[in-house]
Amino acid sequence: MARSFTHFLPLLLFACFAVIASIALVMTLSGERKPSELPSALIGKPVPPTELPSLYNPQAFVNIEAATSQPYLVNFFASWCAPCRAEAPALAILAKKIDIIGIAYKDKPQDSQRFLTDYGNPYTAIGSDNEGSAGLNWGVYGVPETYLISADGLIIKRHAGPIDGDILREELLPLIRSLQKQG
Amino acid sequence: MLSPEFGHFCLVLALVVSGAQIILPMVGLLRDDARLIRFAEPLQHLASMAIFISFASLVYAFIVSDFSVQLVASHSHSLKPMIYKITGSWGNHEGSLLLWIVILGLFGMLFVVRETASRLKTLTLMVMGGITLAFLAFSLFTSNPFTRLSPAPPDGRGLNPVLQDIGLALHPPMLYLGYVGLSVAFALAIAGLITGEVSKNWARITRFWVVIAWSALTAGIALGSWWAYYELGWGGWWFWDPVENASLMPWLAATALLHSVIVVEKRQQMVSWTLLMAITAFSLSLVGTFIVRSGLLTSVHSFASDPARGIFILFILLGAVGLPLFLYAFRAGSLTKGSDYALLSRETGLIINNYILVVSTFIVLIGTFYPLALELFTGAKITVGAPYFDATFNPVMGIGILFMAIGPLLVWRRGMVGSARPALLLSAAVTGIAAIILMASSGISVAGIAGIALTLWLALSIGGDMLFRLRPWQAGMGARLRLPATQWGMWLAHFGMVIFLIGALASALFEQENVVRVNKGTEIALGNETVIFDGVEERIGPNYVTETALLRLFDRDGKLIDGLYPEKRFYPAERQTTTEAAIRTRLSGDHYAVLGDGSAESGYTLRLYHKPLVSWIWFGAVMMAMGGLVALYRRPQRAQKASLQAEQGLREAE
Amino acid sequence: MRFFQALILVLLANISVQTLPIPQAFAITAEEQLTDPALEARARDLSKQLRCLVCQNQSIDDSDADLAKDLRAEVRKQLLGGADDKTILSNLQEKYGDYVLLNPPVSLATIGLWATPILALLLGGGLIVYSRKRGLRTPAPSVPLPSASTDKELASEKAIHMRPIGATSLAVTASFCILIAGAIYWFGLGSPSLPSQPLSQRASEINLEARQVEAQLAEKQQAFAAAKDATMGTPENIGNWLELALAAAELGRVEEELNALRTALSLTDEDIGIKSMLAEALTRSADGQVIPEARQLIAEILAENGGEPRALFLSGLAAMEDGAYNRAVDNWRYLIEISPKDAPWVSVVRENLTEAAERAGIALEAAGIALEEDSETSPLPALSQESLSAAAEMSEAERLEMIEGMVANLRQRLDENPKDSEGWQRLARAYRVLNRPEEALEALGRASAAALNDFELQLAVLEQLMMAGKDRDTAPSQDKAKEVSVANIVLERAMALNAEHPELLFFAGHFARRDGDKDKARFYWTKLLDKIPASSETARLLRLELDKLAR
């Protein structure tokens, strides 16, 4: 009997599978695809309205609102989080370029304060999210997390995990620069 | 004799021999030189022996704690109990890969011994040599178990308490027996495609190997599921995790193959389909290996630390699946024959069986890989979890069970067993009534009732079938009992499915759970029973300290049934805490207790379950595996004739 | 969690046994539960549909991760607020994305996922009907029903005709070849000369070791007891306390060691030596973390004697902990320079230094780029992180050789393409690591000259110059003079571009002070002070420095 299309079907299906698996593997190995990284659901959306007591002055409040004149960063950190220490130098560099609002996530204020004395304070304002409710609203799944917000209050990017040299150079700084030029 | 270097040499030798096992017979076949063709068999023996010696020397290195072998140094410890020293030799990537190859060698050897010489056999051995070669190369070049350390460290590093577990030690070999066993059917299918002759004899040979592999795979999956149930401590037994799916897919495909190969054997139908299934089943077990060892889907613990491994196994996958499917695409057409059976026939029943199993395999495949594909093409990440499979896989399986009750009652070519109609009608009626009563009187969900009804339907139809065939109320049942072993095996396996379903349904629908904070003397209600907490005692184990909760279990009349002692262990050397659930297993159900955090002042958190009939899940699986083995039993000639006569008699009676 | 975790555990065992997640059975606790059983049942049901984002395919109902706990609490909070199941799920989906739902919602992206099962069911059915119809049109030759005997068939297939084996020699040759090939391969792959070393046969070796260890322990214990007695006898003798501290340290009894040192310290007038021992002991007691008390001590010691080796080493450790790798490099480089070549700590310090330099390499690079961000990407390869880490695994000599090689390479390419300012800076950094200050200065001069019109780059060069200067605070004066003269040239170039820039003002002040010109330094820094917020930390430090200058 003649060849029939149906007999090629399995080969075709496997070819699809093989292509996907190969691309995935190559991308994973080259580090382009980071299996543990999650895209934020809030990208392109306005910042969730956030009002937190200020870390150094609990009577005052830190507000994160939609409208600002400048792009800025929001950085979730905690004194109990080891990678937060690792990203301190990168944040110090960033602080020269852009305003950073810090949110101390599920951390006792005195611990956060000591952390900032020890590792430097790159923030223009710091809110204390003791209960982690702001974290929930922002979809934080692990500190440190850094969000880039445009001048019109939209979340442009989320980086989960410590900011290292590569991330700083290749992802954050170019984005910040282009946002600032737009502004 | 069993020095690591000798083992290493043997592994290399096996590699070379496997290469020769492909090349020499191939040259022989091309030049029609029988001398070269004959090399296939002794070479297979040689390769297998070399692999065995190699593995033996690895195990020996573990037994004598030869820490000059890197693998031993990093996975063993002089203080480990001997049993875990031994099982530790395959409790790691390199060793488990070698075990995989050992099983490959074992199957190769048995195949040589069991089958009579033929062109088919030679070709099959060549393909198996190819598989062995690929995996040996994988082992030697990316995951060499015999890498040495000099100077040897004074002691090993592998004393992880979590890995010292007998369930953990036993289930991989069982699972591999299944995975690798499918390679024989795979090799036979390729040989069949090359020769273009897929005869009754081919099917008989293939069926034997498929059944062996399928039974082992069933047992392996059941063992893994049981391990998770007693060790992980929250009472679940299946979680639709990618790695679990990786073992379920080959099982589903192998089940389809198991049934379709019967059609080839008896009726010479579904030939190309069966070949495809044989290729698919083994391919899916390779895909499973790929998933687990490339770090693609179990991403958190990535294997990416050694890129060579992921790439290597991808190439094995491409070669081992792509080439056969290519061959299939061009050759399968010539093997297709027209069909000559009526709509109502055993053939149709088995086609439906295959159709359902393949669709469900496909669902698992899609559910496992869709998130990956979506992420690659759109960057979006989604989760496909248990609810998805409950909504898709379960209904399809439900349809399958619906037909599973009817299929065995059909006869080849056309019609039904004469006695089938009353049996089916009766079970349909009983099932219907039972479903209506449940619907009206119990709060069970529709899906639950559907499950119960289907299980009942299947049980009744199998029971009815047995009853009407054996007719115990008539004289001369002795002769009727001598049915072919395949019939008994089928009944046993199908009835295992019923038992499995009962366990799964009962434990899901009637589970009692109670999470409470307790102080000394607290009474906790758990379904009909009561549990009294008598406080926590500190005990000292061989290499750990433990907090043991003292629980007494009372029945509804206040009579003491048993004690339950869940533990929380702390291993100071490793600074690890583990929880040990206390499980009281009875046929009627399990009482399951887990101890959480707490202190004498603030009370302890306790999690208690009663899971009715849960152990039936694994009994069912064991029955299925046994059913497969029973079906393989071949009576001596004379008895065989008698059983055929019995069957003939049955047919005439219809 | 999954049952096949068993398999994963097995397979991962070789990767990191120590960091494996232990199957932790406990998820939901009694306190989390709602009192209303109906609501609680709904909460449990919802929890089973939500994924714990940080776990592997685990629902928040099963997981004991912190995040899962938070999410469980959130679900219950919303339930108490009267939300219905759908709203709760979609609320969480809004924040965490589709990923949080174990049951993927039907959308454009998941249409394939949901349609495939149905399509497969229909397509499969269609295929069966189709092939059956086609099959029926071409009826097959009728195959007889299964019969008892298939012997004939068996016979027909059994064994193709085979010629008898005539050539034993062929078999012998083939086997021989296979053996040889295997042996050759193995010689390349294996370690033929290494015998097996079962533990039992190494008993003598290991026993000997154990006995030696035991003997040493006994000796140490004796020493400890003796020292203790001595302190009891003459508690005012500092030497006795120090002996005791040493003996305690040998035995790893940190508490007693600290005690002894503190007593000894109290007996002296703030002796630096004892202080540094105390700082070290404190650090050891905190598993290598330089705790605040130790830091305080180190600061005191260094204020008094900037060359105290222990304090310098610990100060480097503290800097590493803070991520201030440059400072650590500076500290340790200095320590090695002032230490005698054969001092026992040199090799340890060197090891630490290598690591710090590596890390500083990254941090510096990030800093460098941040300052030069507008320059085009460099065509020259960097001294990449990979090659540097490779260097870490080599011996000291090999490592230096490799770095030298890379540096020479870079230098050659720069000579060919001298316009690459960034490249020159990288070269300067490398020279600093190699402790070749002259060349570093020269490279920095070239870096500045290569980018006359780039203000940011000039700033970067100045920063490097400043750090290079810190390397050599004790250097002979002509070196310092050279540094300042290079700095002045660069400063002039930068001033021409933007004389008012705060960072530049800072550098100008710094180099003026190094030059010994206090007035000039005061001038620049006062000017700078006007430009920055008075309340900032920088301003505070600057005022401190200005005060010092005024004195």
Side-chain angles (χ1 to χ4, degrees):
Chain A
M1 196 176 284
R3 272 172 219 145
S4 110
F5 167 72
T6 48
H7 293 140
F8 279 84
L9 218 59
L11 185 64
L12 224 62
L13 276 174
F14 176 71
C16 292
F17 171 83
V19 167
I20 291 172
S22 311
I23 297 175
L25 186 67
V26 169
M27 281 176 73
T28 312
L29 293 179
S30 69
E32 204 171 319
R33 167 178 175 259
K34 294 175 188 116
S36 55
E37 205 166 84
L38 283 182
S40 170
L42 296 175
I43 299 295
K45 295 196 182 142
V47 293
T50 307
E51 193 188 60
L52 292 168
S54 163
L55 179 68
Y56 285 102
N57 181 7
Q59 272 77 46
F61 282 91
V62 174
N63 271 299
I64 301 176
E65 285 160 355
T68 50
S69 53
Q70 281 291 319
Y72 59 97
L73 291 175
V74 173
N75 177 263
F76 285 82
F77 72 97
S79 65
W80 44 262
C81 131
C84 296
R85 292 171 205 171
E87 71 171 1
L91 283 178
I93 291 166
L94 277 169
K96 291 185 200 157
K97 308 274 165 193
I98 187 169
D99 284 351
I100 310 177
I101 296 179
I103 296 183
Y105 177 71
K106 295 179 94 180
D107 201 8
K108 284 190 206 123
Q110 58 267 36
D111 290 346
S112 317
Q113 286 174 13
R114 204 171 54 219
F115 174 80
L116 293 176
T117 351
D118 289 351
Y119 294 93
N121 177 355
Y123 306 112
T124 45
I126 305 162
S128 174
D129 183 22
N130 213 344
E131 305 290 309
S133 60
L136 271 177
N137 277 333
W138 285 70
V140 168
Y141 67 92
V143 280
E145 279 189 22
T146 307
Y147 294 77
L148 175 59
I149 291 123
S150 68
D152 40 1
L154 300 181
I155 295 180
I156 303 298
K157 181 178 172 58
R158 182 250 303 260
H159 175 73
I163 303 171
D164 59 21
D166 286 341
I167 302 284
L168 185 71
R169 201 167 35 234
E170 275 149 34
E171 294 182 18
L172 282 177
L173 284 174
L175 256 177
I176 290 174
R177 215 180 313 148
S178 72
L179 275 183
Q180 282 171 336
K181 270 182 194 143
Q182 281 167 25
Chain B
M1 174 66 185
L2 283 175
S3 83
E5 285 310 315
F6 187 61
H8 197 175
F9 172 72
C10 283
L11 204 58
V12 176
L13 186 68
L15 180 87
V16 184
V17 174
S18 305
Q21 192 183 330
I22 312 171
I23 295 164
L24 289 186
M26 190 191 288
V27 174
L29 284 173
L30 290 176
R31 300 180 53 189
D32 201 19
D33 184 343
R35 289 175 304 175
L36 287 174
I37 294 174
R38 284 213 166 168
F39 266 108
E41 300 190 6
L43 283 176
Q44 175 66 61
H45 282 308
L46 185 60
S48 296
M49 285 313 296
I51 293 167
F52 296 161
I53 294 172
S54 175
F55 185 64
S57 48
L58 184 69
V59 175
Y60 182 74
F62 269 89
I63 290 175
V64 301
S65 294
D66 184 346
F67 296 123
S68 70
V69 178
Q70 192 180 4
L71 199 66
V72 183
S74 43
H75 297 290
S76 196
H77 193 283
S78 58
L79 293 180
K80 253 189 186 178
M82 182 52 77
I83 174 85
Y84 295 121
K85 277 187 189 165
I86 297 173
T87 60
S89 58
W90 62 82
N92 52 71
H93 167 72
E94 289 84 352
S96 64
L97 191 64
L98 187 55
L99 178 67
W100 174 291
I101 299 169
V102 165
I103 295 175
L104 210 52
L106 182 72
F107 273 106
M109 204 174 214
L110 290 177
F111 184 79
V112 172
V113 173
R114 184 174 184 271
E115 309 303 339
T116 44
S118 67
R119 211 171 127 83
L120 180 71
K121 186 180 180 186
T122 310
L123 279 166
T124 308
L125 284 175
M126 282 164 60
V127 177
M128 292 188 68
I131 301 169
T132 314
L133 180 74
F135 275 90
L136 278 170
F138 183 39
S139 170
L140 276 168
F141 301 133
T142 72
S143 328
N144 194 331
F146 291 109
T147 308
R148 301 295 296 275
L149 281 179
S150 185
D155 212 333
R157 288 188 284 119
L159 201 57
N160 191 332
V162 184
L163 293 173
Q164 292 182 34
D165 181 280
I166 199 69
L168 195 63
L170 289 185
H171 107 262
M174 206 48 156
L175 207 58
Y176 291 175
L177 216 54
Y179 280 159
V180 178
L182 289 173
S183 73
V184 184
F186 170 83
L188 277 162
I190 294 174
L193 277 172
I194 294 171
T195 59
E197 272 175 76
V198 181
S199 61
K200 206 167 271 231
N201 192 38
W202 179 92
R204 203 202 321 270
I205 296 170
T206 307
R207 189 169 67 86
F208 175 83
W209 295 102
V210 171
V211 169
I212 296 274
W214 179 86
S215 292
L217 196 54
T218 309
I221 295 175
L223 262 175
S225 153
W226 176 67
W227 176 83
Y229 171 76
Y230 82 77
E231 183 65 30
L232 293 186
W234 50 84
W237 53 274
W238 190 266
F239 303 90
W240 294 108
D241 180 81
V243 183
E244 287 167 37
N245 294 350
S247 73
L248 182 61
M249 287 189 281
W251 185 83
L252 289 167
T255 314
L257 173 62
L258 186 72
H259 289 92
S260 77
V261 77
I262 301 173
V263 186
V264 180
E265 188 180 347
K266 299 273 183 193
R267 300 283 294 115
Q268 287 285 287
Q269 300 275 331
M270 292 176 79
V271 171
S272 66
W273 176 259
T274 302
L275 293 175
L276 181 62
M277 279 296 103
I279 296 171
T280 309
F282 183 61
S283 302
L284 285 170
S285 59
L286 285 182
V287 168
T289 316
F290 176 65
I291 292 176
V292 180
R293 300 189 193 227
S294 70
L296 263 195
L297 290 180
T298 53
S299 47
V300 180
H301 320 275
S302 174
F303 274 102
S305 55
D306 187 358
R309 258 181 219 169
I311 298 285
F312 207 110
I313 199 148
L314 180 66
F315 274 109
I316 293 184
L317 193 65
L318 291 181
V321 185
L323 290 179
L325 285 180
F326 199 75
L327 191 66
Y328 174 83
F330 285 93
R331 299 277 293 174
S334 62
L335 292 164
T336 309
K337 292 183 182 123
S339 42
D340 63 343
Y341 45 87
L343 195 59
L344 189 69
S345 62
R346 175 72 68 90
E347 287 91 331
T348 312
L350 288 168
I351 285 177
I352 291 173
N353 150 300
N354 265 246
Y355 154 61
I356 294 291
L357 285 166
V358 167
V359 168
S360 48
T361 311
F362 203 64
I363 291 174
V364 180
L365 189 73
I366 283 284
T368 311
F369 283 96
Y370 195 85
L372 184 68
L374 186 69
E375 190 198 330
L376 286 183
F377 292 124
T378 70
K381 278 204 173 183
I382 59 163
T383 302
V384 177
Y388 170 81
F389 293 102
D390 289 344
T392 53
F393 182 85
N394 291 2
V396 172
M397 267 298 151
I399 301 174
I401 290 165
L402 196 67
F403 286 105
M404 189 174 166
I406 306 171
L409 303 179
L410 303 172
V411 292
W412 296 112
R413 299 199 70 178
R414 69 181 66 241
M416 242 183 199
V417 177
S419 54
R421 266 168 237 272
L424 275 182
L425 278 175
L426 197 68
S427 36
V430 174
T431 307
I433 293 167
I436 289 168
I437 292 175
L438 278 177
M439 202 92 88
S441 66
S442 76
I444 303 172
S445 65
V446 179
I449 290 177
I452 295 174
L454 281 168
T455 311
L456 193 63
W457 160 247
L458 181 60
L460 287 174
S461 81
I462 298 172
D465 187 23
M466 288 176 79
L467 209 64
F468 282 106
R469 284 209 195 199
L470 300 176
R471 295 190 300 278
W473 57 86
Q474 285 181 10
M477 194 178 69
R480 284 195 296 276
L481 277 175
R482 255 179 271 129
L483 282 167
T486 46
Q487 184 70 42
W488 285 107
M490 191 264 285
W491 276 338
L492 190 58
H494 282 200
F495 207 72
M497 186 72 186
V498 173
I499 300 292
F500 164 81
L501 286 170
I502 290 173
L505 282 166
S507 64
L509 294 175
F510 307 116
E511 177 193 281
Q512 302 277 350
E513 188 195 358
N514 208 344
V515 183
V516 281
R517 187 163 282 267
V518 290
N519 288 305
K520 200 167 176 173
T522 309
E523 276 187 36
I524 312 129
L526 185 67
N528 287 328
E529 286 90 18
T530 312
V531 175
I532 294 183
F533 174 68
D534 292 326
V536 163
E537 204 177 81
E538 289 218 350
R539 294 179 183 174
I540 294 173
N543 55 346
Y544 55 83
V545 285
T546 162
E547 288 184 317
T548 306
L550 308 175
L551 299 170
R552 279 177 297 157
L553 182 67
F554 295 92
D555 69 5
R556 85 178 78 182
D557 307 322
K559 217 178 84 198
L560 181 69
I561 311 175
D562 211 343
L564 287 173
Y565 308 102
E567 294 179 28
K568 222 168 63 172
R569 285 184 190 167
F570 177 67
Y571 292 83
E574 293 80 15
R575 295 194 183 182
Q576 284 180 345
T577 308
T578 64
T579 51
E580 301 288 320
I583 307 174
R584 178 180 180 271
T585 301
R586 292 293 177 275
L587 213 53
S588 62
D590 285 12
H591 289 93
Y592 196 114
V594 189
L595 175 66
D597 291 326
S599 66
E601 294 78 45
S602 62
Y604 289 86
T605 309
L606 265 185
R607 194 170 182 171
L608 300 167
Y609 297 98
H610 181 239
K611 290 173 168 290
L613 308 185
V614 69
S615 48
W616 291 37
I617 291 172
W618 301 289
F619 282 131
V622 170
M623 273 174 79
M624 284 190 240
M626 296 294 293
L629 296 180
V630 167
L632 286 183
Y633 177 70
R634 271 172 131 181
R635 265 172 253 245
Q637 277 297 262
R638 206 183 305 154
Q640 211 171 356
K641 245 175 219 162
S643 87
L644 275 163
Q645 275 165 0
E647 209 186 7
Q648 215 98 48
L650 273 176
R651 209 174 285 125
E652 276 153 22
E654 282 149 17
Chain C
M1 202 170 280
R2 38 271 26 191
F3 88 58
F4 266 67
Q5 193 176 16
L7 208 58
I8 300 185
L9 280 175
V10 166
L11 293 171
L12 286 173
N14 57 327
I15 300 222
S16 57
V17 171
Q18 266 60 41
T19 61
L20 270 177
I22 303 299
Q24 271 296 339
F26 240 83
I28 186 167
T29 62
E31 283 69 26
E32 284 176 32
Q33 297 181 27
L34 300 174
T35 40
D36 178 350
L39 274 187
E40 176 60 23
R42 274 174 65 201
R44 294 299 298 277
D45 197 46
L46 283 169
S47 300
K48 287 190 173 114
Q49 297 177 48
L50 289 165
R51 174 180 185 144
C52 160
L53 294 119
V54 292
C55 321
Q56 268 188 61
N57 227 14
Q58 212 173 341
S59 80
I60 60 169
D61 194 52
D62 290 338
S63 169
D64 67 341
D66 260 356
L67 184 67
K69 204 170 185 170
D70 290 352
L71 288 175
R72 284 198 297 265
E74 179 69 17
V75 166
R76 286 178 171 77
K77 201 173 95 187
Q78 295 192 13
L79 273 173
L80 285 177
D84 61 33
D85 294 3
K86 251 198 180 140
T87 322
I88 295 175
L89 288 179
S90 72
N91 276 345
L92 284 168
Q93 182 193 358
E94 234 166 65
K95 292 165 191 163
Y96 284 98
D98 291 350
Y99 193 68
V100 81
L101 302 177
L102 279 168
N103 199 17
V106 180
S107 70
L108 199 63
T110 61
I111 195 80
L113 182 67
W114 285 105
T116 311
I118 301 167
L119 277 180
L121 213 54
L122 293 177
L123 212 79
L127 215 65
I128 291 177
V129 174
Y130 164 77
S131 64
R132 199 187 137 68
K133 277 194 174 152
R134 207 185 50 167
L136 281 182
R137 256 186 275 124
T138 53
S142 181
V143 180
L145 277 170
S147 63
S149 164
T150 45
D151 290 349
K152 224 180 282 173
E153 209 184 333
L154 262 175
S156 71
E157 223 182 82
K158 190 181 201 170
I160 42 176
H161 175 71
M162 283 182 183
R163 274 178 252 162
I165 291 186
T168 327
S169 58
L170 183 67
V172 172
T173 321
S175 325
F176 194 66
C177 289
I178 285 170
L179 263 170
I180 296 288
I184 292 172
Y185 229 2
W186 169 66
F187 266 104
L189 219 56
S191 327
S193 58
L194 219 56
S196 61
Q197 300 167 24
L199 200 64
S200 53
Q201 283 172 26
R202 295 165 61 206
S204 57
E205 171 201 339
I206 287 172
N207 270 346
L208 194 69
E209 236 166 72
R211 244 179 286 132
Q212 276 168 352
V213 169
E214 242 167 66
Q216 279 169 0
L217 189 70
E219 215 169 277
K220 284 174 188 167
Q221 267 160 349
Q222 263 175 6
F224 180 76
K228 197 152 196 179
D229 286 346
T231 53
M232 298 282 224
T234 46
E236 68 286 345
N237 185 330
I238 301 168
N240 284 346
W241 285 107
L242 290 181
E243 290 268 310
L244 180 63
L246 278 177
E250 287 278 313
L251 283 170
R253 300 190 183 174
V254 184
E255 280 310 313
E256 274 151 323
E257 183 192 0
L258 287 177
N259 231 340
L261 284 173
R262 286 209 172 98
T263 317
L265 188 60
S266 69
L267 291 171
T268 66
D269 180 25
E270 302 275 296
D271 182 273
I272 301 187
I274 300 179
K275 258 190 196 171
S276 69
M277 283 163 75
L278 182 55
E280 192 198 311
L282 282 166
T283 307
R284 248 188 293 119
S285 74
D287 284 332
Q289 276 209 342
V290 190
I291 57 176
E293 194 189 342
R295 285 176 190 240
Q296 176 64 35
L297 287 168
I298 295 164
E300 287 169 26
I301 299 162
L302 289 180
E304 220 171 301
N305 172 8
E308 211 292 322
R310 261 206 198 88
L312 270 177
F313 179 72
L314 291 173
S315 161
L317 269 188
M320 282 292 275
E321 226 169 73
D322 299 349
Y325 306 122
N326 294 324
R327 196 144 50 82
V329 170
D330 290 348
N331 264 311
W332 287 335
R333 287 268 329 275
Y334 178 57
L335 174 56
I336 289 176
E337 261 168 48
I338 62 168
S339 305
K341 281 270 169 298
D342 51 353
W345 58 79
V346 165
S347 65
V348 179
V349 177
R350 222 176 261 286
E351 243 168 59
N352 278 297
L353 178 60
T354 314
E355 197 194 330
E358 250 167 53
R359 296 217 194 154
I362 322 162
L364 275 173
E365 202 156 16
I369 298 294
L371 295 165
E372 305 152 13
E373 54 173 284
D374 289 315
S375 68
E376 289 304 313
T377 44
S378 160
L380 289 180
L383 296 176
S384 71
Q385 178 58 21
E386 287 82 5
S387 43
L388 276 176
S389 354
E393 288 165 17
M394 304 177 184
S395 76
E396 185 70 2
E398 280 172 335
R399 192 183 68 81
L400 275 176
E401 195 177 63
M402 175 177 157
I403 295 181
E404 302 263 15
M406 289 193 299
V407 167
N409 217 344
L410 184 57
R411 169 92 211 202
Q412 193 193 340
R413 286 194 233 184
L414 282 169
D415 283 331
E416 284 160 22
N417 175 20
K419 284 270 128 206
D420 182 3
S421 172
E422 211 186 291
W424 284 111
Q425 285 191 47
R426 232 171 7 238
L427 185 64
R429 275 197 290 269
Y431 277 138
R432 278 179 48 216
V433 173
L434 289 173
N435 201 2
R436 281 153 65 175
E438 293 285 1
E439 278 123 312
L441 275 183
E442 194 215 338
L444 283 172
R446 302 281 298 262
S448 163
L452 285 181
N453 292 318
D454 192 334
F455 181 69
E456 297 277 345
L457 268 179
Q458 300 292 353
L459 277 188
V461 171
L462 282 169
E463 194 184 350
Q464 288 252 0
L465 270 170
M466 184 171 85
M467 283 185 295
K470 276 191 182 162
D471 291 349
R472 296 170 301 119
D473 268 345
T474 54
S477 56
Q478 79 259 24
D479 271 359
K480 203 162 166 181
K482 182 159 182 219
E483 179 206 321
V484 174
S485 75
V486 173
N488 279 337
I489 298 171
V490 183
L491 277 171
E492 221 171 276
R493 284 175 185 151
M495 289 279 183
L497 293 169
N498 180 359
E500 299 296 300
H501 194 280
E503 254 177 273
L504 182 57
L505 287 173
F506 173 78
F507 288 130
H510 168 81
F511 286 109
R513 188 177 63 169
R514 269 182 90 71
D515 204 7
D517 192 343
K518 287 189 177 176
D519 289 336
K520 208 163 147 196
R522 246 205 325 266
F523 166 74
Y524 281 123
W525 281 354
T526 323
K527 204 164 157 189
L528 171 60
L529 205 51
D530 290 342
K531 290 190 184 296
I532 56 179
S535 60
S536 70
E537 178 72 3
T538 325
R540 197 179 64 81
L541 287 174
L542 214 51
R543 273 195 294 271
L544 270 176
E545 292 296 316
L546 279 170
D547 283 352
K548 272 193 212 160
L549 280 178
R551 262 188 260 133

